Amino acid sequence: MQTNAEYIENRRWLVGFAACFAAVHALYFIAGVRFDRGTLVEVMHFLDAELLRDRLLESVWYLHIQPPLLNLFTGLILKVTPESALVFHLIFLACGFLLYWNVFVLQVKLGVGRPLAAALATAFMASPSFILWEHYLLYTMPIAALLSGAALCLLHYLEGHAPRWLAGYFGCVVVLCGIASMFHLVYFLLALGGVLFFSRARWRQVLAVALLPFCLVFGFYLKNFLVFGEFNVCTFAEKNLWIMTAGNMPWDEKTALVEAGKLSDLSLVNRWASLDAYPDRFKQVPDHFAGIPALAATHKTNGSVNYNHYGYIANCDVYGADAKYVLRHHPWHFVVAAGQSWYRYFKSSSDLPVSPQNQDTMRPAIAFYDYAVYGKSPVDLSGWLRIVEKTGSPPYFFLLLGLPLVWGYGLWRAARPGARGFSTPQRAVVLFLALNIAYVALLGCSLDYLETARYRFTTDGLSVVLLGVLLGRKLTVDS
């Protein structure tokens, strides 16, 4: 139970955090940073913006390349206001502030002194990576905020067992599962199992609160099974596995396998190609879907490819079969691709081809964080390290060494039942932080070749909390 003195102290810090958040964002705004909603045109995650505005429920119902909630949220904003850019910006700023505050509160709840916790949280909030993803219309920043919110709700629940905190925890998990396919139905079951393990005496309460959230997540999968015959929320996932296997093979080797009939001719086609590049059989739409633009239109009204076209379902299945063949018979290609994905995982997440205008305005801040905070090599090592030459990315030594150290320390603290000054709820939440970092890293680096640093940003806030626990413990021991 929070005392009156603690409430007043937290409110004072909250006001200070709001002022700091506003000041940092004002400086970035003066420098030229603006909210980027170009993703509505450029990225595959969104349906046609006109369909989201004019045929929202129908289009989201027939969405098969993504879970439904991101497009549903986007369509509702497009429907209710012509000033959608401003509304998106305000919502993403709220996500950013929530992440900033949660990173601070989690550290304090885990025994870190307020000055140190505030310094680490503020350094994270002021980073170019934070600002970049906060000003980019995609699920990256919301996921980071939801993970921190789930951790905080879990800690509050395990400390006091109030049902509202349990509902908040499962609410965060449902939205995670509903906006990004990485957070699978299996993830929900793992999140449920973790709470049950640490609340065995209250298992009836946990299951009762989890029932409706589980039904919602299961419903996302059941809908796709009934409509498309696919028990998943992302038919495109097969192509992600393909790029890590057949897509990573040398052209001559891949061509030979296609000519031998081991791989399909689709493996010679870029996975991002429009349907014009594929055989006619992939362009067919069943009669009962012919009047559904989200499934029947090959392109969006802005001219970009509609990857939600019905033909991409069978298309992706073929890519998936090729990927599994290579994984079984030529697994080394996956090992090489995964190694490069892991290497890219430890680079700055602001060093990705997104929001070039915002990146240009933040060049001085990016350079400072890259060299002073992330340990970017100032020397060209491509002639010395093959992976640097292959990926075209210099090593970020502080990230390469520091993130595994912080993660390992958190896991070690969570695994020590008798750790002095660490309660069972605190151990459970540290374990939650460490396992979520591992989950995102393992899945992201197994199914993506280039953008693994973007996935890592979603758990960077959790890593900052673990860093605070490590530094706070070190300072306490030294003093």
Side-chain angles (χ1 to χ4, degrees), residues 239 265-266 268-284 296-300 303-307 309 311-312 315 319:
K239 286 191 177 183
D265 54 356
L266 266 62
L268 300 179
V269 180
N270 188 308
R271 64 172 176 158
W272 298 112
S274 70
L275 285 177
D276 296 336
Y278 295 100
D280 288 342
R281 69 182 185 276
F282 294 111
K283 303 172 187 177
Q284 306 303 314
T298 59
H299 290 76
K300 303 177 186 178
S304 60
V305 177
N306 172 29
Y307 292 104
H309 187 281
Y312 281 105
N315 177 311
Y319 276 100

Coordinates of all heavy atoms in Angstrom, one line a residue, residues 239 265-266 268-284 296-300 303-307 309 311-312 315 319:
K239 N 7.4 -16.0 -45.6 CA 8.4 -15.3 -46.4 C 9.5 -14.8 -45.5 O 10.6 -14.6 -45.9 CB 7.7 -14.1 -47.1 CG 6.9 -14.5 -48.3 CD 6.5 -13.3 -49.1 CE 5.7 -13.7 -50.4 NZ 5.4 -12.6 -51.3
D265 N 10.0 -22.2 -58.5 CA 10.5 -21.1 -59.2 C 10.2 -19.7 -58.5 O 10.8 -18.7 -58.9 CB 9.9 -21.0 -60.7 CG 8.4 -21.1 -60.7 OD1 7.8 -21.2 -59.6 OD2 7.8 -20.9 -61.8
L266 N 9.4 -19.8 -57.5 CA 9.1 -18.5 -56.7 C 10.4 -18.1 -56.0 O 10.5 -16.9 -55.6 CB 8.0 -18.7 -55.8 CG 6.6 -18.3 -56.3 CD1 6.2 -19.1 -57.5 CD2 5.5 -18.4 -55.2
L268 N 13.1 -17.6 -57.0 CA 13.9 -16.8 -57.9 C 13.3 -15.4 -58.0 O 13.8 -14.5 -58.7 CB 14.1 -17.4 -59.3 CG 14.8 -18.7 -59.3 CD1 14.9 -19.2 -60.7 CD2 16.2 -18.7 -58.7
V269 N 12.2 -15.2 -57.3 CA 11.4 -13.9 -57.3 C 11.6 -13.2 -56.0 O 11.5 -13.8 -54.9 CB 9.9 -14.1 -57.6 CG1 9.2 -12.8 -57.7 CG2 9.8 -14.9 -58.9
N270 N 11.9 -11.9 -56.0 CA 12.0 -11.1 -54.8 C 10.7 -11.2 -54.0 O 9.6 -11.1 -54.5 CB 12.3 -9.7 -55.1 CG 12.6 -8.8 -53.9 OD1 11.8 -8.8 -53.0 ND2 13.7 -8.1 -54.0
R271 N 10.8 -11.5 -52.7 CA 9.6 -11.7 -51.9 C 8.7 -10.4 -51.8 O 7.5 -10.5 -51.5 CB 10.0 -12.1 -50.5 CG 10.8 -11.1 -49.7 CD 11.0 -11.5 -48.2 NE 11.8 -10.5 -47.5 CZ 11.8 -10.4 -46.2 NH1 11.0 -11.1 -45.5 NH2 12.6 -9.5 -45.6
W272 N 9.3 -9.3 -52.1 CA 8.5 -8.0 -52.1 C 7.9 -7.7 -53.4 O 7.3 -6.6 -53.6 CB 9.4 -6.8 -51.7 CG 9.9 -7.0 -50.3 CD1 11.2 -7.2 -49.9 CD2 9.2 -7.0 -49.0 NE1 11.3 -7.3 -48.5 CE2 10.1 -7.1 -48.0 CE3 7.8 -6.8 -48.7 CZ2 9.7 -7.2 -46.6 CZ3 7.4 -6.8 -47.4 CH2 8.4 -7.0 -46.4
A273 N 8.0 -8.6 -54.4 CA 7.5 -8.3 -55.8 C 6.0 -8.2 -55.7 O 5.3 -8.8 -54.9 CB 7.9 -9.4 -56.7
S274 N 5.4 -7.5 -56.7 CA 4.0 -7.4 -56.8 C 3.5 -8.7 -57.5 O 4.3 -9.5 -58.1 CB 3.6 -6.2 -57.7 OG 4.0 -6.4 -59.0
L275 N 2.2 -8.9 -57.6 CA 1.7 -10.1 -58.2 C 2.0 -10.2 -59.7 O 1.9 -11.3 -60.3 CB 0.2 -10.2 -58.0 CG -0.3 -10.6 -56.5 CD1 -1.8 -10.6 -56.4 CD2 0.2 -12.0 -56.2
D276 N 2.3 -9.1 -60.3 CA 2.7 -9.1 -61.7 C 3.9 -10.0 -62.0 O 4.0 -10.5 -63.1 CB 3.0 -7.7 -62.2 CG 1.8 -6.8 -62.1 OD1 0.7 -7.3 -62.2 OD2 2.0 -5.6 -62.0
A277 N 4.7 -10.2 -61.0 CA 5.9 -11.0 -61.2 C 5.7 -12.5 -61.0 O 6.6 -13.3 -61.1 CB 7.0 -10.6 -60.2
Y278 N 4.5 -12.9 -60.6 CA 4.2 -14.3 -60.3 C 3.3 -14.9 -61.3 O 2.6 -14.2 -62.1 CB 3.5 -14.4 -58.9 CG 4.4 -13.9 -57.8 CD1 4.3 -12.7 -57.2 CD2 5.4 -14.8 -57.3 CE1 5.1 -12.3 -56.2 CE2 6.2 -14.4 -56.2 CZ 6.0 -13.1 -55.7 OH 6.9 -12.7 -54.7
P279 N 3.2 -16.3 -61.4 CA 2.3 -17.0 -62.3 C 0.9 -16.6 -62.1 O 0.5 -16.1 -61.0 CB 2.5 -18.4 -62.0 CG 3.9 -18.5 -61.4 CD 4.1 -17.2 -60.6
D280 N 0.0 -16.7 -63.1 CA -1.3 -16.3 -63.0 C -2.1 -16.9 -61.9 O -3.1 -16.3 -61.4 CB -2.0 -16.5 -64.4 CG -1.5 -15.6 -65.5 OD1 -0.9 -14.5 -65.1 OD2 -1.7 -15.9 -66.7
R281 N -1.7 -18.1 -61.5 CA -2.5 -18.8 -60.5 C -2.6 -18.1 -59.2 O -3.5 -18.3 -58.4 CB -2.0 -20.3 -60.3 CG -0.6 -20.4 -59.7 CD -0.2 -21.8 -59.6 NE 1.0 -22.0 -58.9 CZ 2.2 -21.9 -59.4 NH1 2.4 -21.6 -60.7 NH2 3.3 -22.1 -58.7
F282 N -1.6 -17.3 -59.0 CA -1.6 -16.5 -57.7 C -2.4 -15.2 -57.8 O -2.5 -14.5 -56.8 CB -0.1 -16.2 -57.3 CG 0.7 -17.4 -57.0 CD1 1.7 -17.8 -57.8 CD2 0.4 -18.2 -55.9 CE1 2.5 -19.0 -57.5 CE2 1.1 -19.3 -55.6 CZ 2.2 -19.7 -56.4
K283 N -2.9 -14.9 -59.0 CA -3.6 -13.7 -59.1 C -5.1 -13.9 -59.0 O -5.9 -12.9 -59.0 CB -3.3 -13.0 -60.5 CG -1.8 -12.8 -60.7 CD -1.5 -12.3 -62.1 CE 0.0 -12.2 -62.3 NZ 0.3 -11.8 -63.7
Q284 N -5.6 -15.1 -58.9 CA -7.0 -15.5 -58.8 C -7.6 -15.2 -57.5 O -6.9 -15.4 -56.4 CB -7.2 -16.9 -59.2 CG -6.6 -17.4 -60.5 CD -7.0 -16.6 -61.7 OE1 -8.3 -16.3 -61.8 NE2 -6.1 -16.1 -62.5
A296 N -9.0 -8.3 -53.1 CA -9.1 -8.4 -54.6 C -8.2 -7.4 -55.3 O -7.8 -7.6 -56.4 CB -10.5 -8.2 -55.1
A297 N -7.9 -6.2 -54.7 CA -7.0 -5.2 -55.3 C -5.6 -5.6 -55.2 O -5.1 -5.9 -54.1 CB -7.3 -3.8 -54.7
T298 N -4.9 -5.5 -56.4 CA -3.5 -5.9 -56.4 C -2.6 -4.7 -55.8 O -1.5 -5.0 -55.3 CB -3.0 -6.2 -57.8 OG1 -3.2 -5.1 -58.6 CG2 -3.7 -7.5 -58.3
H299 N -3.1 -3.5 -55.9 CA -2.4 -2.3 -55.4 C -3.3 -1.5 -54.6 O -4.5 -1.5 -54.8 CB -1.8 -1.5 -56.6 CG -0.7 -2.2 -57.3 ND1 -0.9 -3.3 -58.2 CD2 0.7 -2.0 -57.3 CE1 0.3 -3.7 -58.6 NE2 1.2 -3.0 -58.1
K300 N -2.7 -0.7 -53.7 CA -3.5 0.3 -52.9 C -3.7 1.5 -53.9 O -3.1 1.6 -54.9 CB -2.7 0.7 -51.7 CG -2.3 -0.4 -50.8 CD -1.5 0.1 -49.6 CE -1.0 -1.0 -48.7 NZ -0.1 -0.5 -47.6
G303 N -0.8 3.4 -55.1 CA 0.1 2.8 -56.1 C 1.0 1.7 -55.5 O 1.6 0.9 -56.2
S304 N 1.1 1.6 -54.2 CA 2.0 0.6 -53.5 C 1.3 -0.7 -53.5 O 0.1 -0.9 -53.7 CB 2.3 1.0 -52.1 OG 1.2 1.2 -51.3
V305 N 2.1 -1.8 -53.4 CA 1.6 -3.2 -53.5 C 0.6 -3.5 -52.3 O 0.9 -3.1 -51.1 CB 2.7 -4.2 -53.5 CG1 2.2 -5.6 -53.5 CG2 3.6 -3.9 -54.7
N306 N -0.5 -4.1 -52.6 CA -1.3 -4.6 -51.5 C -1.0 -6.1 -51.2 O -1.4 -7.0 -51.9 CB -2.8 -4.5 -52.0 CG -3.7 -5.2 -51.0 OD1 -3.5 -5.3 -49.8 ND2 -4.8 -5.8 -51.5
Y307 N -0.2 -6.2 -50.2 CA 0.3 -7.6 -49.8 C -0.8 -8.4 -49.1 O -0.6 -9.6 -48.8 CB 1.5 -7.5 -48.9 CG 2.7 -7.0 -49.6 CD1 3.2 -5.7 -49.4 CD2 3.4 -7.8 -50.5 CE1 4.3 -5.2 -50.1 CE2 4.5 -7.3 -51.2 CZ 5.0 -6.0 -51.0 OH 6.1 -5.5 -51.7
H309 N -3.6 -9.0 -50.7 CA -4.3 -9.7 -51.7 C -4.4 -11.2 -51.5 O -3.5 -11.8 -50.9 CB -3.6 -9.4 -53.1 CG -4.3 -9.9 -54.3 ND1 -4.4 -11.3 -54.6 CD2 -5.1 -9.3 -55.2 CE1 -5.1 -11.4 -55.7 NE2 -5.6 -10.2 -56.1
G311 N -4.2 -13.7 -53.3 CA -3.2 -14.6 -53.9 C -1.9 -14.7 -53.1 O -1.2 -15.7 -53.3
Y312 N -1.6 -13.8 -52.2 CA -0.4 -13.9 -51.4 C -0.5 -15.0 -50.3 O 0.5 -15.4 -49.8 CB -0.1 -12.6 -50.7 CG 0.6 -11.6 -51.7 CD1 -0.1 -10.5 -52.2 CD2 1.9 -11.7 -52.0 CE1 0.5 -9.6 -53.0 CE2 2.5 -10.8 -52.9 CZ 1.8 -9.8 -53.4 OH 2.4 -8.9 -54.3
N315 N 0.8 -17.9 -52.2 CA 2.1 -17.5 -52.6 C 3.1 -17.7 -51.4 O 4.2 -18.3 -51.5 CB 2.0 -16.0 -53.0 CG 3.3 -15.3 -53.3 OD1 4.3 -15.4 -52.5 ND2 3.4 -14.6 -54.4
Y319 N 6.6 -20.2 -50.6 CA 7.8 -19.7 -50.0 C 8.2 -20.4 -48.8 O 9.3 -20.8 -48.5 CB 7.7 -18.2 -49.7 CG 8.0 -17.3 -50.9 CD1 7.0 -16.7 -51.6 CD2 9.3 -17.0 -51.3 CE1 7.2 -15.9 -52.7 CE2 9.6 -16.2 -52.4 CZ 8.5 -15.6 -53.1 OH 8.8 -14.8 -54.2

